Amino acid sequence: MNELRYFAGISSDADAKVIIDNLTEVGMAAMSRDYGSTGLAVKFSMDPNVYSQKNNEARKAILAYCGSKAGIPEITETRHILNAFDNPTFESVYNAIFTEALLGVMTKTDSNAISVFANVDTVDVGNSLTYQIETKGLPIAQRNSYMSNVTFLDGAATQAITVTPKVYSTGTAVDVIRMLKGDIDMGKEIAKVAMSILYKQYQLCVSQVASTALVTGTPLYRSTFSASDYIRTISYLQALNNASVRAYGTLPALNAISAVATASYGFTAQDEVLRLGFLSVAYGIPHVILQQATDGSAPLGADNTTADKTMLIPNDLVFLLADTGDKPVKLVRENYIRVMNTPANINSINRREYQYFMAFDAAIATQAHYAIQNTATD
């Protein structure tokens, strides 16, 4: 496997910047088109005819630009494209442009799904980020005496939590002949890589919040659902965070507690559950649907339990989060993506395989309190 040289500053080249900007746009449009329902992609509308035109122009422009840098005068025949991708300079420039566009998509994608659970910070390569978490406790007011000494109790504390990005990789393959013939969707290729990375980042964030280890044994984790306990937990969170609270969950999760909520109430609430699948407001707080997501890496399975294992968000948990800017999770990612290639071999001489490496990690680092409600009933 060979590491491809990254052409530093290529985005400052006027011709390259035009190509990068066009690729970023078609990448954003493809993400919105193909993965918009996940909540990970931002809405980016582009007319299909405009998309097709931009995609084709970007494909031709990147071949011409990389060819000019590699001293290849024309790329119009199959032998030209094969020769081009065998040229180290051509391939390095090509991947520098692709990676710049990929970073552009990542930078411009302010994922609504991730932002439910996490604040996102970016660091330079090799760096970590430390969060200083202060207590929310008030200084303790104590009764004093004019005649005797009093031992004062600490009224403040700070804990440092460091998040160090870890390297993750994803791969893709490109049939270079298809690229010459125009039978390739450049936007989709960028979107697939970007979504693969975003999906893993989202998975890390959800797994941190869904872990009950930090809240087990406290009123902030309820292993079974009861209306009185649920309301009590909401009250605790409102007091602890000095903020309103929202409940987040998948449709099956919110449907489960909505069914319990409407069991003893009127037809209006029951009609809302039949119409929406859940109660949009219940027990005094808004209920917000989290769109389920999957990477499609395994079959669904034969039953609900098996099928749920292929889904990213637990279908049996509801997350109670405060309406504050301080999210439970901090996602820290580097501002660099490295690309490496696997050389062509027998039976795949027309295909190029690439691996993209990006470092990121997530951890619970917050001053805010949150709670987890299991949808199981006694």
Side-chain angles (χ1 to χ4, degrees):
M1 184 178 289
N2 300 324
E3 182 175 351
L4 299 169
R5 285 185 296 136
Y6 189 85
F7 278 65
I10 194 169
S11 60
S12 62
D13 181 295
D15 293 333
K17 188 176 186 308
V18 172
I19 300 171
I20 292 167
D21 289 346
N22 283 339
L23 283 174
T24 300
E25 284 192 8
V26 294
M28 296 285 291
M31 279 187 66
S32 180
R33 178 195 65 199
D34 298 339
Y35 308 104
S37 64
T38 64
L40 290 171
V42 297
K43 184 174 178 58
F44 194 98
S45 299
M46 184 178 290
D47 182 89
N49 292 328
V50 175
Y51 178 90
S52 180
Q53 180 182 346
K54 277 184 172 287
N55 181 67
N56 195 42
E57 289 174 352
R59 177 187 64 82
K60 291 179 179 178
I62 194 172
L63 291 179
Y65 181 85
C66 296
S68 68
K69 295 298 182 183
I72 302 173
E74 64 174 349
I75 304 177
T76 56
E77 300 178 14
T78 303
R79 60 190 177 92
H80 295 158
I81 192 77
L82 293 176
N83 179 58
F85 274 92
D86 284 337
N87 184 299
T89 301
F90 178 97
E91 195 169 29
S92 291
V93 177
Y94 169 85
N95 280 281
I97 291 175
F98 188 95
T99 306
E100 282 283 351
L102 178 59
L103 277 170
V105 170
M106 297 289 293
T107 301
K108 293 180 179 179
T109 301
D110 184 13
S111 169
N112 289 331
I114 291 178
S115 64
V116 168
F117 298 110
N119 300 116
V120 181
D121 290 300
T122 303
V123 296
D124 287 331
V125 177
N127 286 358
S128 301
L129 192 57
T130 298
Y131 299 88
Q132 298 292 339
I133 310 300
E134 295 184 0
T135 180
K136 290 191 292 186
L138 295 172
I140 300 170
Q142 300 169 233
R143 186 178 183 279
N144 289 346
S145 169
Y146 290 113
M147 302 302 294
S148 60
N149 294 328
V150 173
T151 300
F152 283 94
L153 303 176
D154 290 334
T158 300
Q159 180 180 5
I161 299 176
T162 299
V163 183
T164 302
K166 299 176 178 61
V167 178
Y168 290 83
S169 66
T170 186
T172 186
V174 177
D175 185 334
V176 297
I177 294 180
R178 286 181 58 207
M179 189 170 182
L180 173 66
K181 303 300 184 182
D183 184 25
I184 189 169
D185 188 334
M186 296 294 291
K188 185 174 183 178
E189 293 300 317
I190 293 172
K192 285 193 297 185
V193 177
M195 275 300 301
S196 175
I197 295 172
L198 283 170
Y199 183 90
K200 175 54 69 174
Q201 293 175 356
Y202 188 34
Q203 190 177 54
L204 287 175
C205 295
V206 172
S207 66
Q208 289 289 328
V209 178
S211 172
T212 61
L214 292 177
V215 290
T216 295
T218 77
L220 300 182
Y221 173 61
R222 305 288 187 179
S223 58
T224 57
F225 180 83
S226 82
S228 59
D229 286 343
Y230 188 65
I231 293 173
R232 193 175 294 111
T233 300
I234 292 169
S235 178
Y236 292 154
L237 288 176
Q238 290 170 338
L240 289 167
N241 294 301
N242 191 32
S244 56
V245 175
R246 292 174 186 264
Y248 295 87
T250 62
L251 181 58
L254 293 181
N255 173 267
I257 64 174
S258 296
V260 176
T262 59
S264 302
Y265 294 93
F267 291 115
T268 300
Q270 294 179 29
D271 286 346
E272 183 176 356
V273 173
L274 288 174
R275 183 167 53 88
L276 300 178
F278 73 108
L279 288 175
S280 57
V281 178
Y283 302 109
I285 63 170
H287 285 187
V288 182
I289 288 287
L290 294 174
Q291 297 298 330
Q292 188 59 274
T294 182
D295 59 4
S297 60
L300 282 176
D303 58 74
N304 292 338
T305 303
T306 305
D308 284 358
K309 291 180 180 178
T310 68
M311 299 291 114
L312 189 149
I313 307 170
N315 279 326
D316 59 350
L317 297 180
V318 173
F319 306 98
L320 296 168
L321 306 178
D323 284 333
T324 66
D326 183 16
K327 304 300 182 181
V329 176
K330 299 298 179 284
L331 172 64
V332 180
R333 55 193 187 191
E334 290 183 353
N335 59 357
Y336 181 79
I337 297 176
R338 173 178 294 169
V339 57
M340 302 178 76
N341 81 317
T342 302
N345 52 37
I346 297 174
N347 296 328
S348 64
I349 59 174
N350 299 331
R351 185 180 66 187
R352 294 296 185 270
E353 296 180 357
Y354 300 100
Q355 281 188 291
Y356 299 89
F357 299 81
M358 186 177 189
F360 50 85
D361 202 10
I364 297 291
T366 182
Q367 191 185 46
H369 290 75
Y370 65 96
I372 301 173
Q373 172 66 64
N374 198 296
T375 61
T377 55
D378 292 329

